[in-house]
Amino acid sequence: MLTTRGIPQMYYGDELLMHGSKEGSDGFVRRDMPGGFPGDKVNAFVDAGRTDMQREAWNFISRLANWRRGNEVISKGALKHFMPENGVYVYERSYKGKRVVVMMNGTDSENVIDGTIYREIMPEGTTLTDILSGEKVTIAREMRLPARALYILE
């Protein structure tokens, strides 16, 4: 959602993995934010008040949202996408010579993709940087994507 055009819409608390149900009304989907108010037992506004999973979600969304801010390739860029194959979805955003390639494996198992399908946007031998991990990724004819993998490559 943070790599596509438009204004992303999230419920408050998504960054803390908050959840709820609609039993009764939509008002039950989100309760009060945990912390920052007198009498709160937990303060998720500070790192020490978050669980390990909440910390991971917070850091992920924070990193991605800050990368997106002011990034014209995301806000103004053209979209070229490919039909999902075996649960893998690949698309490119491009603007004024800058580009971002997003690769998602939406399955619970590793996927081996045929890189020749995507050579139009990822020629074999090209090295890109994953903005989430900072690691370099060299495009190959066959690429292994771990289960539930997400790569945002510049």
Side-chain angles (χ1 to χ4, degrees):
M1 178 172 69
L2 290 170
T3 61
T4 60
R5 67 179 190 84
I7 300 170
Q9 296 186 15
M10 301 167 48
Y11 271 117
Y12 73 87
D14 281 351
E15 73 280 10
L16 295 173
L17 304 176
M18 286 178 64
H19 62 281
S21 69
K22 286 190 174 189
E23 39 182 272
S25 74
D26 282 347
F28 289 100
V29 173
R30 288 291 190 268
R31 305 271 180 174
D32 289 339
M33 278 297 270
F37 304 101
D40 285 349
K41 295 176 184 168
V42 174
N43 186 1
F45 288 122
V46 296
D47 189 67
R50 300 180 198 128
T51 67
D52 288 343
M53 286 183 67
Q54 287 174 327
R55 190 172 296 111
E56 182 180 347
W58 175 279
N59 291 340
F60 176 81
I61 290 173
S62 177
R63 181 175 195 142
L64 200 47
N66 282 307
W67 168 80
R68 176 193 169 91
R69 183 183 14 204
N71 191 337
E72 288 187 327
V73 76
I74 299 304
S75 62
K76 298 178 180 178
L79 170 69
K80 183 179 292 184
H81 63 119
F82 296 82
M83 181 185 307
E85 190 167 310
N86 298 324
V88 173
Y89 183 41
V90 176
Y91 58 92
E92 175 194 57
R93 302 294 311 275
S94 60
Y95 183 72
K96 291 188 175 181
K98 186 175 177 187
R99 62 193 193 97
V100 173
V101 175
V102 179
M103 303 172 70
M104 294 180 270
N105 179 2
T107 69
D108 289 327
S109 56
E110 179 183 77
N111 248 313
V112 178
I113 64 167
D114 176 2
T116 61
I117 296 170
Y118 311 108
R119 70 177 163 239
E120 181 180 345
I121 63 169
M122 297 186 303
E124 189 174 344
T126 302
T127 299
L128 302 168
T129 302
D130 179 18
I131 66 113
L132 296 172
S133 68
E135 294 178 10
K136 300 287 184 191
V137 176
T138 300
I139 306 306
R141 182 165 292 161
E142 276 192 5
M143 295 181 63
R144 298 188 176 281
L145 294 179
R148 300 288 171 194
L150 167 64
Y151 295 104
I152 302 171
L153 307 171
E154 287 186 314

